[in-house]
PDB file of all heavy atoms in Angstrom:
ATOM      1  N   ALA A 779     -20.299  20.315 -28.069  1.00 94.00           N
ATOM      2  CA  ALA A 779     -21.498  20.554 -28.865  1.00 94.00           C
ATOM      3  C   ALA A 779     -21.186  20.487 -30.349  1.00 94.00           C
ATOM      4  O   ALA A 779     -21.970  20.006 -31.163  1.00 94.00           O
ATOM      5  CB  ALA A 779     -22.085  21.906 -28.492  1.00 94.00           C
ATOM      6  N   ALA A 780     -19.959  20.928 -30.720  1.00 94.00           N
ATOM      7  CA  ALA A 780     -19.558  20.874 -32.121  1.00 94.00           C
ATOM      8  C   ALA A 780     -19.499  19.425 -32.589  1.00 94.00           C
ATOM      9  O   ALA A 780     -19.918  19.072 -33.691  1.00 94.00           O
ATOM     10  CB  ALA A 780     -18.196  21.562 -32.316  1.00 94.00           C
ATOM     11  N   GLU A 781     -18.982  18.584 -31.715  1.00 94.00           N
ATOM     12  CA  GLU A 781     -18.884  17.172 -32.066  1.00 94.00           C
ATOM     13  C   GLU A 781     -20.266  16.531 -32.187  1.00 94.00           C
ATOM     14  O   GLU A 781     -20.540  15.753 -33.092  1.00 94.00           O
ATOM     15  CB  GLU A 781     -18.035  16.460 -30.980  1.00 94.00           C
ATOM     16  CG  GLU A 781     -17.950  14.946 -31.092  1.00 94.00           C
ATOM     17  CD  GLU A 781     -17.351  14.459 -32.404  1.00 94.00           C
ATOM     18  OE1 GLU A 781     -16.752  15.271 -33.129  1.00 94.00           O
ATOM     19  OE2 GLU A 781     -17.499  13.257 -32.716  1.00 94.00           O
ATOM     20  N   GLN A 782     -21.165  16.956 -31.296  1.00 94.00           N
ATOM     21  CA  GLN A 782     -22.554  16.428 -31.364  1.00 94.00           C
ATOM     22  C   GLN A 782     -23.206  16.832 -32.702  1.00 94.00           C
ATOM     23  O   GLN A 782     -23.879  16.024 -33.334  1.00 94.00           O
ATOM     24  CB  GLN A 782     -23.385  16.976 -30.214  1.00 94.00           C
ATOM     25  CG  GLN A 782     -23.278  16.125 -28.968  1.00 94.00           C
ATOM     26  CD  GLN A 782     -23.828  16.837 -27.749  1.00 94.00           C
ATOM     27  OE1 GLN A 782     -24.507  17.857 -27.854  1.00 94.00           O
ATOM     28  NE2 GLN A 782     -23.520  16.310 -26.588  1.00 94.00           N
ATOM     29  N   LEU A 783     -22.944  18.053 -33.110  1.00 94.00           N
ATOM     30  CA  LEU A 783     -23.533  18.529 -34.364  1.00 94.00           C
ATOM     31  C   LEU A 783     -22.964  17.739 -35.556  1.00 94.00           C
ATOM     32  O   LEU A 783     -23.690  17.392 -36.485  1.00 94.00           O
ATOM     33  CB  LEU A 783     -23.228  20.036 -34.521  1.00 94.00           C
ATOM     34  CG  LEU A 783     -23.962  20.707 -35.674  1.00 94.00           C
ATOM     35  CD1 LEU A 783     -25.457  20.743 -35.409  1.00 94.00           C
ATOM     36  CD2 LEU A 783     -23.466  22.140 -35.885  1.00 94.00           C
ATOM     37  N   ARG A 784     -21.671  17.457 -35.458  1.00 94.00           N
ATOM     38  CA  ARG A 784     -21.047  16.682 -36.548  1.00 94.00           C
ATOM     39  C   ARG A 784     -21.740  15.317 -36.685  1.00 94.00           C
ATOM     40  O   ARG A 784     -22.097  14.890 -37.775  1.00 94.00           O
ATOM     41  CB  ARG A 784     -19.561  16.488 -36.285  1.00 94.00           C
ATOM     42  CG  ARG A 784     -18.782  15.882 -37.425  1.00 94.00           C
ATOM     43  CD  ARG A 784     -17.372  15.476 -37.056  1.00 94.00           C
ATOM     44  NE  ARG A 784     -17.370  14.387 -36.095  1.00 94.00           N
ATOM     45  CZ  ARG A 784     -17.656  13.127 -36.381  1.00 94.00           C
ATOM     46  NH1 ARG A 784     -17.976  12.756 -37.610  1.00 94.00           N
ATOM     47  NH2 ARG A 784     -17.642  12.196 -35.427  1.00 94.00           N
ATOM     48  N   VAL A 785     -21.947  14.688 -35.521  1.00 94.00           N
ATOM     49  CA  VAL A 785     -22.573  13.371 -35.552  1.00 94.00           C
ATOM     50  C   VAL A 785     -23.996  13.483 -36.105  1.00 94.00           C
ATOM     51  O   VAL A 785     -24.424  12.692 -36.949  1.00 94.00           O
ATOM     52  CB  VAL A 785     -22.552  12.699 -34.164  1.00 94.00           C
ATOM     53  CG1 VAL A 785     -23.345  11.413 -34.151  1.00 94.00           C
ATOM     54  CG2 VAL A 785     -21.142  12.497 -33.683  1.00 94.00           C
ATOM     55  N   GLU A 786     -24.707  14.528 -35.672  1.00 94.00           N
ATOM     56  CA  GLU A 786     -26.104  14.697 -36.086  1.00 94.00           C
ATOM     57  C   GLU A 786     -26.247  14.852 -37.601  1.00 94.00           C
ATOM     58  O   GLU A 786     -27.138  14.282 -38.205  1.00 94.00           O
ATOM     59  CB  GLU A 786     -26.690  15.896 -35.337  1.00 94.00           C
ATOM     60  CG  GLU A 786     -28.192  16.023 -35.576  1.00 94.00           C
ATOM     61  CD  GLU A 786     -28.779  17.286 -34.879  1.00 94.00           C
ATOM     62  OE1 GLU A 786     -28.138  17.814 -33.956  1.00 94.00           O
ATOM     63  OE2 GLU A 786     -29.859  17.722 -35.328  1.00 94.00           O
ATOM     64  N   PHE A 787     -25.334  15.586 -38.192  1.00 94.00           N
ATOM     65  CA  PHE A 787     -25.464  15.830 -39.642  1.00 94.00           C
ATOM     66  C   PHE A 787     -24.589  14.929 -40.495  1.00 94.00           C
ATOM     67  O   PHE A 787     -25.028  14.478 -41.535  1.00 94.00           O
ATOM     68  CB  PHE A 787     -25.158  17.312 -39.939  1.00 94.00           C
ATOM     69  CG  PHE A 787     -26.324  18.202 -39.622  1.00 94.00           C
ATOM     70  CD1 PHE A 787     -26.578  18.646 -38.329  1.00 94.00           C
ATOM     71  CD2 PHE A 787     -27.215  18.584 -40.627  1.00 94.00           C
ATOM     72  CE1 PHE A 787     -27.677  19.436 -38.040  1.00 94.00           C
ATOM     73  CE2 PHE A 787     -28.324  19.373 -40.349  1.00 94.00           C
ATOM     74  CZ  PHE A 787     -28.552  19.811 -39.026  1.00 94.00           C
ATOM     75  N   LEU A 788     -23.370  14.694 -40.039  1.00 93.00           N
ATOM     76  CA  LEU A 788     -22.425  13.976 -40.904  1.00 93.00           C
ATOM     77  C   LEU A 788     -22.180  12.539 -40.473  1.00 93.00           C
ATOM     78  O   LEU A 788     -21.489  11.788 -41.175  1.00 93.00           O
ATOM     79  CB  LEU A 788     -21.083  14.740 -40.912  1.00 93.00           C
ATOM     80  CG  LEU A 788     -21.163  16.117 -41.575  1.00 93.00           C
ATOM     81  CD1 LEU A 788     -19.977  16.946 -41.162  1.00 93.00           C
ATOM     82  CD2 LEU A 788     -21.222  15.977 -43.090  1.00 93.00           C
ATOM     83  N   GLY A 789     -22.734  12.146 -39.359  1.00 92.00           N
ATOM     84  CA  GLY A 789     -22.523  10.777 -38.891  1.00 92.00           C
ATOM     85  C   GLY A 789     -23.180   9.776 -39.835  1.00 92.00           C
ATOM     86  O   GLY A 789     -23.945  10.138 -40.711  1.00 92.00           O
ATOM     87  N   LYS A 790     -22.844   8.510 -39.599  1.00 91.00           N
ATOM     88  CA  LYS A 790     -23.372   7.432 -40.485  1.00 91.00           C
ATOM     89  C   LYS A 790     -24.910   7.457 -40.557  1.00 91.00           C
ATOM     90  O   LYS A 790     -25.479   7.175 -41.591  1.00 91.00           O
ATOM     91  CB  LYS A 790     -22.937   6.069 -39.930  1.00 91.00           C
ATOM     92  CG  LYS A 790     -21.698   5.556 -40.594  1.00 91.00           C
ATOM     93  CD  LYS A 790     -21.534   4.091 -40.269  1.00 91.00           C
ATOM     94  CE  LYS A 790     -20.094   3.698 -40.567  1.00 91.00           C
ATOM     95  NZ  LYS A 790     -19.564   2.735 -39.628  1.00 91.00           N
ATOM     96  N   LYS A 791     -25.480   7.759 -39.417  1.00 91.00           N
ATOM     97  CA  LYS A 791     -26.972   7.821 -39.402  1.00 91.00           C
ATOM     98  C   LYS A 791     -27.467   9.251 -39.389  1.00 91.00           C
ATOM     99  O   LYS A 791     -28.586   9.530 -38.974  1.00 91.00           O
ATOM    100  CB  LYS A 791     -27.493   7.065 -38.162  1.00 91.00           C
ATOM    101  CG  LYS A 791     -27.196   5.592 -38.244  1.00 91.00           C
ATOM    102  CD  LYS A 791     -27.722   4.865 -37.025  1.00 91.00           C
ATOM    103  CE  LYS A 791     -27.336   3.408 -37.099  1.00 91.00           C
ATOM    104  NZ  LYS A 791     -27.392   2.776 -35.803  1.00 91.00           N
TER     105      LYS A 791
END
Side-chain angles (χ1 to χ4, degrees):
E781 174 60 13
Q782 273 167 14
L783 189 66
R784 189 190 65 74
V785 174
E786 187 183 339
F787 280 82
L788 293 162
K790 264 194 198 144
K791 294 181 183 160

